[in-house]
Amino acid sequence: MASEGRQRVIIERVKPEIDCGRFPIKRVIGERVVVRAGIFTDGHDRVAAALLYRHTDESEWRETRMKPLVNDEWEGAFTVEEKGIYYYTLQAWVDHFQTWQKDLQKKSDARQDVTVDLLTGAQLIEQAAKRISGAHAEQLNGWAETLKKAEGKASSKALSEELLSLMDACADRSLATTYGKELAVVVDRKKALFSSWYEFFPRSLDSKEGKHSTLRDSEKAITEIARMGFDVIYLPPIHPIGETNRKGKNNSPVSEPDEPGSPWAIGSKEGGHLSVNPMLGTMEDFERFVKRAKDHQIDVAIDIAFQASPDHPYVKEHPEWFKWRPDGTVQYAENPPKKYQDVLPFNFETDNWQALWEELKSVFLFWIEKGVHIFRVDNPHTKPIAFWEWVITEIKREHPDTIFLSEAFTRPKVMYRLAKVGFTQSYTYFTWRNAKPDLTEYLTELLETEVREYFRPNFWPNTPDILPEFLQFGGRPAFVIRLVLAATLSSNYGIYGPAYELIVHDALDGKEEYLDSEKYEIKQWNWDREGNLKDFIARLNRIRKTNAALQTTWNLKFYETDNKNILFYGKTSDDLSNVLLIAVTLDPFHIQSGTLKIPLEELGIDPEQPFLAHDLLSGDKFMWQGESNFIELNPHVLPAHIFRLRTRMRREKDFDYFM
Amino acid sequence: MASEGRQRVIIERVKPEIDCGRFPIKRVIGERVVVRAGIFTDGHDRVAAALLYRHTDESEWRETRMKPLVNDEWEGAFTVEEKGIYYYTLQAWVDHFQTWQKDLQKKSDARQDVTVDLLTGAQLIEQAAKRISGAHAEQLNGWAETLKKAEGKASSKALSEELLSLMDACADRSLATTYGKELAVVVDRKKALFSSWYEFFPRSLDSKEGKHSTLRDSEKAITEIARMGFDVIYLPPIHPIGETNRKGKNNSPVSEPDEPGSPWAIGSKEGGHLSVNPMLGTMEDFERFVKRAKDHQIDVAIDIAFQASPDHPYVKEHPEWFKWRPDGTVQYAENPPKKYQDVLPFNFETDNWQALWEELKSVFLFWIEKGVHIFRVDNPHTKPIAFWEWVITEIKREHPDTIFLSEAFTRPKVMYRLAKVGFTQSYTYFTWRNAKPDLTEYLTELLETEVREYFRPNFWPNTPDILPEFLQFGGRPAFVIRLVLAATLSSNYGIYGPAYELIVHDALDGKEEYLDSEKYEIKQWNWDREGNLKDFIARLNRIRKTNAALQTTWNLKFYETDNKNILFYGKTSDDLSNVLLIAVTLDPFHIQSGTLKIPLEELGIDPEQPFLAHDLLSGDKFMWQGESNFIELNPHVLPAHIFRLRTRMRREKDFDYFM
């Protein structure tokens, strides 16, 4: 029979609350946390509720009042302003004064005698005055006197907002219910939500006549990547590559002596995860590269692949971190019948697992020292999820700027769990969602379920591992279509280049693997080849940078059109100062036309007034009026419109625009 | 860096789990608990999972294996066999042997060399043998030898089910993950799920010339109530009624000296909640009444209304349990502008709340002593929800047979919370759901959401407080319609009689209150009046008793018909030995006809073969064939069919039926 028997208010079903509070939600600086809960008490008493929140560095809770919606559902919100971890919880109490006012109002309306009720009110006010002091208390005592002297005739005064607000400020919370959990928010820097990634192999980017190029050679490319508008350069593993079972061209199990091997076969006598492949240059070259990128506001992300080539120093230093077979050989990676003989997985069930965890953590810390604050993690779903939770939490505690991108294209529950345990951004199934129902269904799952609270999508139309069929067969229009979709549906996106902008579409027969993949050989790119997409990409990224609506994923809304090959959607800033309507044909072959149904009411547009739709991709301007507007998309010219709307009605300063 | 770093399996999102395990789910003896969870591990390893469960009296867990469905969702189930509380939790582990078999199968299929793999398998088997002893261990060692000697040629043996099952029985669970919570199931006796309630006022049932009748008089009625097929008799409060501010006829604030008052104004100088109103008889009479009912397998339920008349002994003994107004008067119940001057609510915020809670608990215990095991609780939503959780838990610990029916027609979250904290059955909004979309939507909420795990509906077409409009204006057909719906949609239902079976439909003007309500006066019923529904009720309850499909609520399914005034639904026993299809017109005025779409495939009926539909209400038999069957319902004759299907195909023994 606990002492809280008199805490009559119930707080239940708080949202967001991931897996009963086991995991934090995610936000970036400046985003809002909207909290809802069921809050109610027995009987007819009025309830008041507060949302409490604090940054982990603050000892005191801050507070904002919650508002009732319908059916005992309440809502409150706060904005996160600092990186790190915030906590939030709820408090609610029976508000006897508000209840009294409500009842007085009803009795007053029914012309019932309220003499005793006013005395009751005066009592409540006097009790409140005793809880506080100073001017506030004096004011309250004044009110109590007024009510006592009124002889039943002071209802209108007693019902005043002024009195309510005075009483509310010193409400009796001694029997308040506090929600039993403190729920966490991980707050990241803005790039966690808005980033444009460019992946390339430095050994090929500036290759001349098939010669291995270096980080120094690649420095020149930074300017061009910056011109295209990317703000993350992501490099596949930059470490020494093993020689034992080195892979040859097109994933051949046998290689010629001069072949470079797969960068994911990490480790040789020249070092492991803390070394730079000498073919790429020195550690100093790497640090210089990172600095050069930083000069362009570009983060360098490196790939963290926790696996070892048979030549990795770990194999001799820590044989217990690997599995050994009955014939005395070390177990290489396999997913039968596939074999990956150039790669050894770690045995996370080793008795010496704690040392292994510490060592892997030190890899992240090492590269953070070298200026890397973004890590793309290779195949995280093949390492224990508990490890990721531990290592990401450990690292972000000291380095809250760090961003971890999860490269997991696996079962949905596993992908989501990796996000829950801490990955900042995640690869998605976008890569294989091409048709309208598939895209809308998937985006709806990502955006309109609890998933949005912890899983930040990063959309990749291609990767070195995946050349999707749509790109193999759809020609240039397909590349433009997928690029526009990735860059406008999701605020985080990336491409693997120069294969992308050069429209490389030859695949291994019947597979989604690149033919003559750069993973196994040095490629020689003609980066300025005619027909490349570099200028288009630059335009698209410029549109992203100058339109706030594209800098978040959470504002996406799908709208109606009568053509099932056209995807029509909108993105707007909260204050509607930036309104984009985007139409993309999903058909790379034929001209598609259709009628867009503009959500006039939602956008506050007068159906009787014309408004300007400015296509930011083509530069064309259209005067539209009313709900229905016809468009035609020729994929060979431009398969998409990104309309920025300007409406005469909404903002005076847009008026000039029409002149 | 916890030691569980090597526990690689994740168990998440266990269902059912109410509010993070804060509340138990509910079952009756013999029902199944089907548990689902997301269970997976990193990488490609196979996982095994067990559902653990135990009755609170057992110290050891019992175990049943779970099976994977799709997308890492697993399912397991157990049946509860004893009253009281069960617990369940989950355990899951990486199954290295199963993983090895899966990989061996793939390599074998790809005709890869498996020499070393068989040695690896032999190692796993030998390790397993070391974990156990005796014949099982010897058998395993035999297998290990076979695999070692096979020189790569024993794949088919190694892949055998026999070996898998031997290994499974001694799987290495040292790194198993156990779900962190033990979730509770409250198991009730069967009546908690299948009950037919009859409510009446004993002071009126055998009244002659308006004279107050007694419990002794009412004994005669028990036989008739039993004949109608009810198994719960529910009596409004049987305690002495206060005289101060006693209510008169039709809720008048003033009463004549000979008026009996409302039974809910509990307490007078003759006693309070532990006394029997002398006008009804003595405590011995009450106990006799309970025994007489028991002779007919009828439980007597009494109403527990925690409130007091101004004359209740509590008011003097415990003034601190009430609210006092500034003018020195005691605060009566009110919901402005409504006043209930004959009733004082308890002040649960009193400093002496613990004594109040104990006193109220003692009321339940007192009546349990007198043979009452079912309580209908009046307005539980106006008392602290924490109190109900405490008192119901306390009482059910010693008296697990006790059933508590929550009379809360209030906001949905409050109703559901009351069920979560322990109420066995609950009043519902059924009383006001008349149209087809309203009924289907509401039943879908009750049956196809988590609510079904803890909220057992009890459907009441009328109560002494509510004469719904549909009954006021729909005549006899309306009463039949609502009765059939209540008794067949929900396995728990009740009526307030004799007003119901006598088709009393006069209401206070514009209200859903009975005119000349029995709550405030003695009524003289002519129970055998022509046109009464007693025989029909008896038939309906007999159908309920002889058809297992009607003895649970959870098997309801709605089916298609082309008439929006006809509700068509089915109930079947798990083994399909009892199949009912029910069609009810919702229109009490006009003949309605339509085509029912019989779910042939679901019911295992051959579309080419005729089957018998036996209307258990009318006794008519129809030979049907195929999916579409036409019906016509005349509300003035019989507004419903309850078809029991007999199909030649399904069971041979039904064959006789056609002869």
Side-chain angles (χ1 to χ4, degrees):
Chain A
M1 202 159 177
S3 66
E4 60 265 23
R6 294 188 295 168
Q7 294 174 4
R8 291 168 47 212
V9 181
I10 305 292
I11 303 174
E12 64 170 25
R13 310 230 166 182
V14 174
K15 286 177 192 161
E17 178 182 305
I18 309 306
D19 292 8
C20 301
R22 167 81 175 75
F23 299 107
I25 60 167
K26 296 192 178 88
R27 291 293 185 273
V28 297
I29 290 171
E31 279 193 299
R32 289 200 337 145
V33 177
V34 179
V35 179
R36 286 197 180 187
I39 300 179
F40 50 86
T41 188
D42 54 278
H44 308 288
D45 287 345
R46 282 288 167 95
V47 164
L51 171 61
L52 313 181
Y53 62 99
R54 64 179 179 86
H55 189 276
T56 187
D57 292 343
E58 299 168 335
S59 56
E60 296 286 312
W61 291 103
R62 282 187 268 177
E63 178 177 310
T64 175
R65 284 300 174 87
M66 299 182 77
K67 291 206 172 92
L69 307 172
V70 289
N71 265 336
D72 299 312
E73 189 77 8
W74 289 63
E75 185 177 284
F78 63 98
T79 299
V80 292
E81 285 152 356
E82 303 284 339
K83 273 176 294 189
I85 296 175
Y86 277 75
Y87 293 99
Y88 59 97
T89 190
L90 284 72
Q91 194 181 60
W93 57 94
V94 172
D95 189 325
H96 288 293
F97 188 77
Q98 216 190 111
T99 306
W100 173 83
Q101 267 197 342
K102 174 194 69 170
D103 288 352
L104 184 70
Q105 179 74 62
K106 286 186 187 162
K107 287 181 181 179
S108 218
D109 292 347
R111 301 182 184 286
Q112 294 179 359
D113 178 50
V114 296
T115 312
V116 183
D117 300 274
L118 289 178
L119 295 178
T120 304
Q123 257 183 7
L124 289 171
I125 296 167
E126 283 168 349
Q127 284 159 6
K130 279 182 201 151
R131 286 194 293 275
I132 52 173
S133 59
H136 189 174
E138 274 172 43
Q139 246 179 314
L140 286 179
N141 283 324
W143 274 97
E145 283 312 307
T146 308
L147 265 55
K148 280 198 279 191
K149 285 183 195 145
E151 292 175 359
K153 289 177 193 133
S155 287
S156 63
K157 277 191 183 171
L159 291 169
S160 75
E161 284 287 333
E162 186 194 343
L163 176 56
L164 177 64
S165 126
L166 277 171
M167 285 295 285
D168 186 59
C170 59
D172 180 7
R173 301 202 199 173
S174 59
L175 298 178
T177 299
T178 298
Y179 188 60
K181 299 174 193 168
E182 297 183 1
L183 303 165
V185 191
V186 168
V187 180
D188 292 301
R189 58 181 165 133
K190 294 206 170 189
K191 212 173 230 179
L193 180 60
F194 177 49
S195 61
S196 314
W197 294 53
Y198 188 81
E199 172 179 10
F200 74 91
F201 288 70
R203 72 187 183 187
S204 286
L205 196 65
D206 197 53
S207 165
K208 309 272 186 308
E209 291 154 20
K211 242 187 88 235
H212 199 295
S213 63
T214 65
L215 286 165
R216 283 281 187 132
D217 299 331
S218 301
E219 281 180 21
K220 280 171 280 175
I222 294 175
T223 320
E224 185 64 4
I225 293 168
R227 190 188 71 80
M228 282 195 280
F230 293 101
D231 55 16
V232 180
I233 283 176
Y234 148 43
L235 307 177
I238 53 172
H239 317 298
I241 295 172
E243 285 177 19
T244 305
N245 294 326
R246 176 177 282 194
K247 290 286 174 81
K249 207 168 144 68
N250 283 315
N251 201 18
S252 160
V254 189
S255 64
E256 302 297 316
D258 58 340
E259 288 191 273
S262 156
W264 284 271
I266 297 168
S268 75
K269 59 182 181 299
E270 285 154 329
H273 286 76
L274 308 186
S275 304
V276 173
N277 185 348
M279 300 287 285
L280 286 173
T282 64
M283 189 62 76
E284 290 65 41
D285 292 340
F286 177 76
E287 291 180 90
R288 215 177 101 124
F289 183 84
V290 170
K291 283 201 194 81
R292 290 280 177 281
K294 202 170 180 188
D295 292 342
H296 291 87
Q297 286 78 50
I298 292 176
D299 264 280
V300 172
I302 63 168
D303 200 347
I304 295 293
F306 282 142
Q307 57 199 26
S309 101
D311 309 320
H312 197 296
Y314 285 156
V315 182
K316 282 194 181 124
E317 291 163 15
H318 288 287
E320 77 280 10
W321 289 352
F322 301 91
K323 277 193 183 161
W324 296 87
R325 310 208 304 167
D327 64 349
T329 60
V330 64
Q331 177 69 58
Y332 51 78
E334 54 181 353
N335 185 11
K338 289 192 218 163
K339 301 175 177 186
Y340 307 89
Q341 287 118 317
D342 61 338
V343 168
L344 314 181
F346 289 114
N347 174 18
F348 281 90
E349 290 189 356
T350 172
D351 290 337
N352 197 19
W353 62 275
Q354 289 179 303
L356 173 61
W357 283 27
E358 288 290 356
E359 173 68 21
L360 300 183
K361 175 183 154 191
S362 76
V363 172
F364 286 110
L365 293 175
F366 178 87
W367 292 105
I368 288 172
E369 278 296 300
K370 303 296 175 205
V372 176
H373 302 289
I374 304 187
F375 298 96
R376 180 269 195 188
V377 175
D378 188 68
N379 276 339
H381 59 288
T382 61
K383 288 93 194 172
I385 291 168
F387 164 71
W388 295 118
E389 182 164 22
W390 172 81
V391 77
I392 293 173
T393 307
E394 288 276 303
I395 285 165
K396 290 198 80 162
R397 187 178 302 133
E398 295 301 314
H399 306 281
D401 257 343
T402 320
I403 289 172
F404 296 87
L405 168 61
S406 159
E407 185 249 8
F409 295 108
T410 181
R411 290 118 64 200
K413 284 196 177 64
V414 182
M415 287 172 72
Y416 288 147
R417 183 80 179 195
L418 288 164
K420 285 189 223 174
V421 303
F423 278 95
T424 324
Q425 299 183 353
S426 306
Y427 280 48
T428 69
Y429 298 135
F430 164 75
T431 312
W432 299 277
R433 298 291 180 272
N434 299 299
K436 187 165 166 174
D438 299 344
L439 281 163
T440 43
E441 188 189 338
Y442 187 51
L443 267 300
T444 301
E445 175 180 323
L446 295 182
L447 270 66
E448 291 179 22
T449 70
E450 189 189 69
V451 166
R452 72 180 276 144
E453 302 291 348
Y454 59 82
F455 183 94
R456 285 199 199 94
N458 192 329
F459 279 7
W460 289 74
N462 75 329
T463 78
D465 297 316
I466 308 161
L467 175 63
E469 281 194 354
F470 189 83
L471 296 181
Q472 292 178 33
F473 304 114
R476 190 181 198 276
F479 279 74
V480 176
I481 288 168
R482 298 297 294 175
L483 193 70
V484 173
L485 289 174
T488 59
L489 288 169
S490 172
S491 49
N492 294 308
Y493 90 110
I495 57 169
Y496 151 57
Y500 203 90
E501 60 270 28
L502 296 181
I503 310 179
V504 173
H505 60 272
D506 290 328
L508 284 180
D509 226 19
K511 299 197 170 166
E512 293 199 323
E513 283 266 354
Y514 279 93
L515 178 71
D516 303 330
S517 167
E518 194 168 8
K519 289 194 289 183
Y520 311 107
E521 62 188 274
I522 309 286
K523 304 289 284 186
Q524 195 158 339
W525 300 113
N526 180 359
W527 212 9
D528 296 317
R529 194 168 69 198
E530 202 174 335
N532 74 64
L533 295 174
K534 291 203 287 185
D535 286 346
F536 184 79
I537 292 169
R539 201 185 321 158
L540 194 55
N541 280 331
R542 202 158 50 238
I543 293 170
R544 282 166 52 90
K545 278 195 184 136
T546 52
N547 286 274
L550 292 174
Q551 295 169 15
T552 177
T553 299
W554 314 125
N555 57 351
L556 177 70
K557 282 192 184 168
F558 289 106
Y559 296 123
E560 272 178 60
T561 154
D562 53 3
N563 184 327
K564 68 182 173 51
N565 294 297
I566 296 177
L567 192 69
F568 177 41
Y569 49 99
K571 292 200 144 201
T572 60
S573 58
D574 281 350
D575 62 358
L576 292 187
S577 64
N578 187 223
V579 175
L580 302 183
L581 293 180
I582 301 165
V584 185
T585 176
L586 305 174
D587 175 358
F589 303 112
H590 314 96
I591 293 175
Q592 295 287 347
S593 61
T595 301
L596 308 180
K597 191 174 168 193
I598 316 292
L600 295 181
E601 201 181 319
E602 191 180 319
L603 300 175
I605 297 174
D606 184 340
E608 305 299 324
Q609 295 287 336
F611 58 96
L612 182 80
H614 177 189
D615 183 357
L616 303 177
L617 279 177
S618 68
D620 293 340
K621 294 176 185 172
F622 306 87
M623 284 305 293
W624 281 351
Q625 191 197 315
E627 182 176 84
S628 298
N629 289 285
F630 179 82
I631 58 158
E632 185 178 271
L633 292 165
N634 182 341
H636 301 286
V637 180
L638 196 51
H641 292 301
I642 302 179
F643 296 113
R644 176 163 185 179
L645 298 200
R646 316 264 176 169
T647 76
R648 204 188 285 251
M649 301 313 297
R650 203 167 50 245
R651 302 191 310 157
E652 281 309 308
K653 65 172 169 159
D654 279 339
F655 193 77
D656 298 343
Y657 210 93
F658 289 84
M659 298 299 104
Chain B
M1 202 162 176
S3 67
E4 60 266 23
R6 293 188 297 168
Q7 294 174 4
R8 291 169 46 214
V9 181
I10 305 293
I11 303 175
E12 64 170 23
R13 309 229 165 183
V14 174
K15 285 177 193 162
E17 180 182 304
I18 309 305
D19 291 8
C20 301
R22 166 81 175 74
F23 299 107
I25 60 166
K26 295 192 178 90
R27 291 294 185 272
V28 296
I29 290 171
E31 279 193 301
R32 290 202 333 148
V33 178
V34 179
V35 179
R36 287 196 179 188
I39 300 178
F40 51 86
T41 187
D42 54 279
H44 307 288
D45 287 344
R46 282 287 167 97
V47 163
L51 171 60
L52 312 181
Y53 62 100
R54 64 180 181 86
H55 189 275
T56 186
D57 292 343
E58 298 169 335
S59 55
E60 297 286 311
W61 291 103
R62 284 187 268 176
E63 179 177 310
T64 176
R65 285 300 175 88
M66 299 182 78
K67 293 207 171 91
L69 307 171
V70 289
N71 265 336
D72 299 313
E73 189 77 7
W74 290 62
E75 185 178 284
F78 63 98
T79 299
V80 292
E81 286 151 358
E82 304 283 340
K83 273 175 297 191
I85 295 175
Y86 278 75
Y87 294 99
Y88 58 97
T89 191
L90 285 73
Q91 194 181 58
W93 56 95
V94 172
D95 189 326
H96 287 293
F97 188 76
Q98 215 190 111
T99 306
W100 172 83
Q101 267 197 342
K102 173 196 71 171
D103 287 353
L104 184 69
Q105 180 74 62
K106 286 185 186 163
K107 287 181 178 177
S108 218
D109 291 348
R111 301 182 184 284
Q112 292 179 0
D113 178 49
V114 296
T115 311
V116 183
D117 300 275
L118 288 178
L119 295 178
T120 304
Q123 259 183 7
L124 288 172
I125 296 168
E126 283 168 350
Q127 285 159 6
K130 280 181 202 153
R131 286 194 295 273
I132 51 171
S133 58
H136 190 174
E138 274 173 43
Q139 247 181 314
L140 286 178
N141 282 324
W143 276 97
E145 284 311 307
T146 308
L147 264 56
K148 282 198 278 189
K149 284 183 193 143
E151 292 176 358
K153 287 176 194 136
S155 287
S156 63
K157 279 192 183 169
L159 292 169
S160 75
E161 284 286 334
E162 186 194 344
L163 176 56
L164 177 63
S165 126
L166 277 171
M167 286 294 286
D168 185 59
C170 58
D172 180 8
R173 301 202 199 175
S174 59
L175 298 179
T177 298
T178 299
Y179 188 60
K181 298 174 193 169
E182 297 183 2
L183 303 166
V185 192
V186 168
V187 180
D188 291 302
R189 57 181 166 134
K190 293 203 173 193
K191 211 171 233 181
L193 181 59
F194 177 48
S195 61
S196 314
W197 294 52
Y198 187 81
E199 172 179 10
F200 73 91
F201 288 69
R203 71 186 183 188
S204 287
L205 196 65
D206 196 53
S207 165
K208 309 270 187 307
E209 291 154 21
K211 243 188 85 236
H212 200 296
S213 63
T214 65
L215 287 165
R216 283 281 187 135
D217 300 330
S218 301
E219 280 180 19
K220 281 171 278 176
I222 294 176
T223 320
E224 185 63 5
I225 293 168
R227 191 187 73 77
M228 283 195 279
F230 292 101
D231 56 15
V232 181
I233 283 176
Y234 147 44
L235 306 177
I238 53 172
H239 316 299
I241 296 173
E243 285 175 20
T244 306
N245 295 326
R246 178 177 281 196
K247 289 285 173 83
K249 207 167 143 68
N250 283 315
N251 201 18
S252 160
V254 189
S255 64
E256 302 298 316
D258 58 339
E259 289 193 273
S262 156
W264 283 271
I266 296 169
S268 76
K269 57 183 182 297
E270 286 153 329
H273 285 76
L274 308 185
S275 305
V276 173
N277 184 347
M279 301 285 286
L280 286 173
T282 64
M283 190 61 76
E284 290 65 41
D285 293 340
F286 177 75
E287 290 180 271
R288 215 176 101 120
F289 183 84
V290 170
K291 283 200 193 79
R292 290 281 177 280
K294 203 173 180 186
D295 293 341
H296 291 88
Q297 285 80 50
I298 292 175
D299 264 281
V300 172
I302 62 168
D303 199 347
I304 295 291
F306 282 142
Q307 57 199 26
S309 101
D311 309 321
H312 197 294
Y314 286 156
V315 182
K316 280 192 184 127
E317 290 163 15
H318 288 285
E320 78 280 12
W321 288 352
F322 301 90
K323 277 193 184 162
W324 296 88
R325 310 207 304 167
D327 64 349
T329 60
V330 62
Q331 176 71 57
Y332 51 78
E334 54 179 355
N335 186 11
K338 289 192 219 163
K339 301 176 177 186
Y340 308 89
Q341 286 118 317
D342 60 338
V343 167
L344 314 181
F346 290 113
N347 175 17
F348 281 90
E349 290 189 357
T350 171
D351 289 338
N352 197 18
W353 61 276
Q354 289 179 305
L356 175 61
W357 284 26
E358 289 290 356
E359 173 68 21
L360 301 183
K361 175 183 155 191
S362 77
V363 172
F364 286 111
L365 293 175
F366 177 87
W367 292 105
I368 288 173
E369 277 297 302
K370 303 295 175 208
V372 177
H373 303 289
I374 304 187
F375 298 97
R376 180 268 198 190
V377 176
D378 188 70
N379 276 339
H381 59 287
T382 60
K383 289 93 194 171
I385 291 169
F387 164 70
W388 295 118
E389 181 164 23
W390 173 81
V391 78
I392 294 174
T393 307
E394 287 275 304
I395 285 166
K396 292 198 78 163
R397 187 179 300 131
E398 296 301 315
H399 306 281
D401 258 343
T402 319
I403 288 173
F404 296 86
L405 168 62
S406 157
E407 186 247 9
F409 295 107
T410 181
R411 290 117 66 201
K413 283 196 176 67
V414 182
M415 287 173 71
Y416 288 147
R417 184 78 179 198
L418 288 165
K420 285 190 222 173
V421 303
F423 279 94
T424 324
Q425 300 183 352
S426 306
Y427 280 46
T428 69
Y429 298 135
F430 165 75
T431 311
W432 299 277
R433 297 292 180 272
N434 299 299
K436 188 165 167 174
D438 298 343
L439 281 163
T440 43
E441 189 190 336
Y442 187 51
L443 268 300
T444 302
E445 176 181 323
L446 295 182
L447 270 65
E448 290 179 24
T449 69
E450 189 189 69
V451 166
R452 71 180 276 142
E453 303 291 348
Y454 59 82
F455 183 92
R456 285 199 198 96
N458 192 330
F459 278 8
W460 289 74
N462 75 330
T463 78
D465 297 316
I466 308 161
L467 175 64
E469 281 194 354
F470 189 82
L471 297 181
Q472 292 178 34
F473 304 114
R476 189 180 200 276
F479 279 73
V480 176
I481 288 168
R482 297 298 294 173
L483 193 70
V484 173
L485 289 173
T488 59
L489 288 169
S490 172
S491 48
N492 294 309
Y493 90 109
I495 57 169
Y496 151 56
Y500 202 89
E501 59 269 29
L502 296 182
I503 311 178
V504 174
H505 61 272
D506 290 329
L508 285 181
D509 225 18
K511 299 197 171 166
E512 294 199 324
E513 283 266 354
Y514 278 93
L515 179 71
D516 302 330
S517 167
E518 194 167 6
K519 290 194 289 184
Y520 311 106
E521 63 187 274
I522 310 286
K523 303 291 283 187
Q524 195 158 338
W525 298 113
N526 179 0
W527 212 9
D528 296 318
R529 193 168 70 198
E530 203 174 335
N532 75 62
L533 295 173
K534 290 205 287 185
D535 286 346
F536 184 79
I537 291 170
R539 201 184 322 158
L540 194 56
N541 279 331
R542 203 157 49 241
I543 293 170
R544 281 166 53 90
K545 277 197 184 134
T546 51
N547 286 275
L550 291 174
Q551 296 169 15
T552 177
T553 298
W554 313 125
N555 58 351
L556 176 71
K557 281 191 185 170
F558 289 105
Y559 297 124
E560 271 178 59
T561 154
D562 53 3
N563 183 328
K564 69 183 172 51
N565 293 298
I566 296 177
L567 193 68
F568 178 41
Y569 49 101
K571 292 202 144 199
T572 61
S573 58
D574 280 351
D575 61 358
L576 292 188
S577 64
N578 187 222
V579 175
L580 301 183
L581 293 181
I582 300 165
V584 185
T585 176
L586 305 175
D587 176 358
F589 303 110
H590 313 96
I591 294 175
Q592 295 287 348
S593 62
T595 300
L596 308 180
K597 192 174 167 193
I598 316 292
L600 296 179
E601 202 181 318
E602 192 180 318
L603 301 175
I605 297 173
D606 184 339
E608 304 300 325
Q609 296 287 337
F611 57 96
L612 182 80
H614 177 188
D615 183 357
L616 303 177
L617 279 178
S618 67
D620 294 341
K621 294 177 184 171
F622 304 88
M623 286 303 296
W624 280 352
Q625 191 196 314
E627 181 176 83
S628 297
N629 288 286
F630 178 83
I631 58 159
E632 187 179 88
L633 291 166
N634 182 340
H636 301 286
V637 180
L638 196 51
H641 292 302
I642 301 179
F643 296 114
R644 176 162 184 180
L645 297 200
R646 316 263 176 171
T647 75
R648 204 188 283 254
M649 301 313 296
R650 203 168 53 245
R651 301 192 311 159
E652 280 311 308
K653 67 171 167 157
D654 279 340
F655 192 75
D656 299 343
Y657 210 92
F658 289 86
M659 300 298 105

